[in-house]
Amino acid sequence: MYDVVIIGGGPAGSTVSTLLKLIRPESKVLVLEREVFPREHVGESLLPAIMPILEEMKVWDEIEAQGFPIKTGAMYRWGSDPGYWRLDFLVGEKFVENPRPEKMTGQRRKTTFHVERAIYDKVLLDHAERTGVEVRQGVKVVEILREGDRVTGLRLESGETVEATYYVDASGHAGTLRRSMGVQVDEPTKLKNIAIWNYWKNDEWAQTVNKGGIRARILSVGYGWIWYLPISANRSSIGLVTHAEYFKSTGKKPEELYGQALSDEPFLAKLLENAERIGSISTTKDWSFSAERLSGENWFLAGESAGFADPILAAGMTLTHVGSRELAYTLKALLNSQFDPQWLKDWYSTLSLRRIRQHIRFADFWYSANSHWEDLKAYSAEIAKDAGLNLDPDEGFRWLSTGGFASDNLSSSAVGSYDLTPAKCVLQRLTGKPAHWEINRFNEFRLNLVGAQEVKIPIFRDGEIEQVKCYQRGSRLLPITGNYLRLIGILQEHRDMITIVSILRQAIGAPPGTYHPILAAALDILEGMITEGWVTAKLNKKRPMMQVKLSEDSFLVSAEHEPFAALGG
């Protein structure tokens, strides 16, 4: 009898099991993996949002020790535009190639990896086992035993039955438990792609293109797009994504269409002149879906069994790691009888499904308007606004392309929170343009709680779930705690910006012109509240203005009658 049994030993299963064992060491956790690692798997491009999760799992150093190429961004050539559109994680900084392995400090916190999944997944699963998780490889689950919506056991190919308090389906597209429990999936787009890929080796290529920090390349070929991902010192993953109907209409075999695509792409055609192919062609259907629900009476879906979003922005692995981290916290709380079980399950599903569905929504538009960059950027800014960020089109696209909603965490500066300053700092560095601030346009603010109700939300931090009171209006959330509560109280009595800042300074003991983190956080919160409609703002020309700006290393604020003062790094 186990506390948790997980079907699948890929990144989802490894993340859930490792973190649960670390934050609740007494947990008895079993991972059942039908294959024997290492095994090949597609999905080799990571995003920076994964790095702190690997660190929390205490496995980042092991991953770094593998020497995977360091990913510093991506190059897109899309639609009819022959030029490249570059996305850098290190804008304004030249990547410094240091001796490896390194620690996750400085630039390495802003970058990520291209990985050989055979190695990456094995490192994660082996680490889970060393952490104390029981791992069985080469073991196939052949039957889900159930009573209604409750799983009562898993029957293995050997005839053995294993039982647990909770079960997790981390079996990827196979959806072993999902299918057995009759969970329907939603395919919210008519876009149904297939992927065809292979691996290549060429020493000369590796010594030039793959040296030091590298960027992924996304290359449009009209009838689809090609990914080019260096995943080791002399090995690269190259794949074609094309519409399933187009593939069918050509009458070509996968090998033929793949070869045509590589020859149609000038950049790759030149690089592949002396390249050597490794192994044989692989194919998979590659279209987006989300499960109708992610939990039942005593079971959960994690990773790609919960849903899959088109790989165009490489967020698949990020969605998997982020959601699986939250599930580990959720399972700990359930096993310890903390909080209402339904509340925990509902929030796990809400957060995970929102991420997946937002990404599907963007990918669908990406394909439908792939020759119109301005439309694409405007649409991505729209999605960012839905997430609480008021960004211009360029900023919106960059935010989304670096992980955006995929790094959703209610305790951070991503979707669902109001800590926007770090996000704006990044965007300013990425675009080279001053960040846009709503609080610079107005000087009178009125709290707007019309139609809001009070709810509680989870924050996943330091191994514990913290319940935070919130106002909720539709999908918008406003925490009622700490700095949020202080600012709500002030806004209930005062409207003038200068007065609001003055009261905040007095309350926290920060003289004019001095830095205080609480004041910086409060202004950050006010910006988010305006963006999401919790505060209505207007300009009174008879009253003085307050201005906020971001320098290279500071958050600055000033009134019309005083110079800018630093408010934080």
Side-chain angles (χ1 to χ4, degrees):
M1 183 68 184
Y2 295 88
D3 291 311
V4 178
V5 172
I6 300 168
I7 307 172
S14 294
T15 301
V16 174
S17 61
T18 297
L19 284 176
L20 178 58
K21 195 67 181 173
L22 287 172
I23 64 179
R24 190 178 187 270
E26 68 272 25
S27 299
K28 192 174 181 184
V29 185
L30 170 65
V31 172
L32 301 170
E33 170 53 51
R34 68 181 180 180
E35 298 187 49
V36 176
F37 285 17
R39 56 90 174 95
E40 295 285 358
H41 203 286
V42 74
E44 299 110 337
S45 191
L46 309 187
L47 291 175
I50 295 175
M51 300 301 100
I53 299 175
L54 296 178
E55 188 172 50
E56 186 177 6
M57 293 168 65
K58 300 184 178 180
V59 73
W60 193 90
D61 287 341
E62 291 181 58
I63 297 296
E64 162 66 4
Q66 305 308 310
F68 294 128
I70 299 169
K71 179 182 173 183
T72 60
M75 300 279 283
Y76 297 93
R77 202 193 63 232
W78 196 253
S80 58
D81 187 349
Y84 280 101
W85 194 86
R86 193 170 78 180
L87 170 72
D88 285 334
F89 302 148
L90 297 171
V91 172
E93 299 179 56
K94 183 178 180 181
F95 176 73
V96 179
E97 188 174 3
N98 293 319
R100 298 179 68 185
E102 291 183 85
K103 294 296 182 181
M104 198 178 82
T105 59
Q107 288 189 340
R108 296 305 303 278
R109 288 190 171 275
K110 305 172 188 177
T111 58
T112 185
F113 300 103
H114 285 154
V115 298
E116 287 192 73
R117 286 288 300 277
I119 299 173
Y120 181 80
D121 292 9
K122 186 177 189 305
V123 170
L124 293 183
L125 190 58
D126 289 349
H127 177 75
E129 191 166 28
R130 287 195 300 273
T131 303
V133 176
E134 183 180 341
V135 175
R136 300 192 205 175
Q137 298 186 49
V139 175
K140 185 177 181 181
V141 176
V142 295
E143 185 180 2
I144 308 296
L145 306 177
R146 57 180 291 193
E147 293 177 359
D149 196 42
R150 181 176 186 81
V151 177
T152 58
L154 306 178
R155 183 161 293 139
L156 310 183
E157 196 170 35
S158 64
E160 179 188 359
T161 297
V162 295
E163 298 179 359
T165 305
Y166 293 100
Y167 300 83
V168 175
D169 183 353
S171 62
H173 274 286
T176 303
L177 189 150
R178 183 192 74 222
R179 295 176 191 274
S180 293
M181 301 308 288
V183 178
Q184 299 298 308
V185 299
D186 178 31
E187 296 175 359
T189 171
K190 294 181 180 179
L191 184 69
K192 295 186 176 182
N193 290 329
I194 65 163
I196 309 168
W197 74 95
N198 203 351
Y199 297 94
W200 297 75
K201 180 171 69 173
N202 181 286
D203 290 340
E204 182 180 353
W205 180 11
Q207 290 171 11
T208 56
V209 181
N210 300 352
K211 186 173 178 59
I214 60 169
R215 301 184 188 91
R217 275 180 168 80
I218 305 300
L219 308 164
S220 175
V221 287
Y223 46 86
W225 59 275
I226 297 173
W227 76 70
Y228 157 49
L229 308 174
I231 58 175
S232 72
N234 62 356
R235 192 168 188 243
S236 293
S237 171
I238 304 177
L240 168 68
V241 176
T242 189
H243 199 287
E245 286 300 318
Y246 174 81
F247 168 67
K248 187 177 179 181
S249 72
T250 66
K252 297 179 184 291
K253 295 180 180 179
E255 174 85 26
E256 294 173 322
L257 186 58
Y258 180 74
Q260 177 189 325
L262 297 189
S263 63
D264 287 347
E265 208 313 297
F267 170 75
L268 288 179
K270 181 173 178 59
L271 286 176
L272 293 174
E273 285 179 356
N274 300 312
E276 176 187 345
R277 277 175 50 167
I278 305 170
S280 57
I281 286 284
S282 297
T283 64
T284 185
K285 72 175 190 178
D286 200 20
W287 54 80
S288 302
F289 75 91
S290 63
E292 64 175 0
R293 60 187 178 123
L294 302 192
S295 66
E297 190 173 337
N298 67 336
W299 55 267
F300 295 87
L301 308 182
E304 288 186 11
S305 70
F308 176 78
D310 190 278
I312 188 63
L313 291 180
M317 287 284 282
T318 308
L319 293 169
T320 290
H321 278 290
V322 172
S324 298
R325 173 184 181 269
E326 292 175 353
L327 180 53
Y329 279 63
T330 298
L331 288 166
K332 175 188 176 180
L334 287 167
L335 290 167
N336 289 348
S337 299
Q338 295 175 296
F339 312 116
D340 172 50
Q342 196 58 49
W343 177 81
L344 289 165
K345 295 174 186 178
D346 288 347
W347 271 105
Y348 169 69
S349 294
T350 296
L351 294 172
S352 293
L353 287 176
R354 181 171 62 179
R355 295 184 200 105
I356 295 167
R357 288 168 180 168
Q358 280 186 324
H359 197 94
I360 291 172
R361 177 182 166 211
F362 181 80
D364 201 34
F365 185 83
W366 180 294
Y367 286 104
S368 66
N370 68 7
S371 62
H372 304 287
W373 274 106
E374 293 310 312
D375 289 346
L376 266 175
K377 293 174 182 177
Y379 189 77
S380 63
E382 206 178 294
I383 293 175
K385 188 172 182 180
D386 287 348
L389 291 169
N390 189 19
L391 310 175
D392 70 27
D394 281 327
E395 290 175 332
F397 184 78
R398 290 177 184 274
W399 168 77
L400 194 64
S401 301
T402 52
F405 53 79
S407 61
D408 180 6
N409 186 325
L410 292 177
S411 66
S412 74
S413 59
V415 181
S417 81
Y418 301 87
D419 186 15
L420 305 184
T421 300
K424 288 181 182 287
C425 285
V426 171
L427 292 167
Q428 180 165 298
R429 291 181 65 83
L430 287 171
T431 62
K433 297 186 296 185
H436 171 83
W437 289 85
E438 287 293 310
I439 56 177
N440 285 345
R441 300 173 56 205
F442 308 102
N443 57 6
E444 288 189 354
F445 308 99
R446 183 194 296 268
L447 191 65
N448 175 23
L449 299 178
V450 176
Q453 60 177 336
E454 190 174 312
V455 298
K456 292 180 180 178
I457 63 171
I459 288 180
F460 308 89
R461 182 166 50 207
D462 299 328
E464 300 289 343
I465 291 179
E466 180 184 347
Q467 250 186 359
V468 176
K469 289 183 180 181
C470 272
Y471 287 116
Q472 183 175 29
R473 185 165 54 211
S475 62
R476 308 294 192 187
L477 298 168
L478 176 66
I480 315 171
T481 185
N483 295 327
Y484 300 93
L485 181 59
R486 176 184 283 111
L487 189 57
I488 289 169
I490 294 173
L491 288 167
Q492 286 173 332
E493 298 184 13
H494 303 280
R495 300 179 191 174
D496 173 58
M497 178 64 164
I498 302 298
T499 303
I500 291 169
V501 172
S502 177
I503 292 173
L504 282 168
R505 284 193 177 278
Q506 291 175 19
I508 61 180
T514 61
Y515 162 72
H516 199 289
I518 294 178
L519 177 58
L523 292 175
D524 187 86
I525 289 167
L526 179 59
E527 174 75 10
M529 290 172 70
I530 297 169
T531 301
E532 291 204 333
W534 295 109
V535 167
T536 55
K538 72 175 187 177
L539 175 62
N540 184 337
K541 294 184 178 179
K542 296 181 179 180
R543 297 194 176 199
M545 297 289 291
M546 185 74 75
Q547 290 291 304
V548 166
K549 70 178 181 180
L550 299 171
S551 70
E552 281 297 302
D553 56 4
S554 299
F555 175 29
L556 307 175
V557 64
S558 79
E560 287 185 336
H561 57 276
E562 65 179 43
F564 280 97
L567 280 183

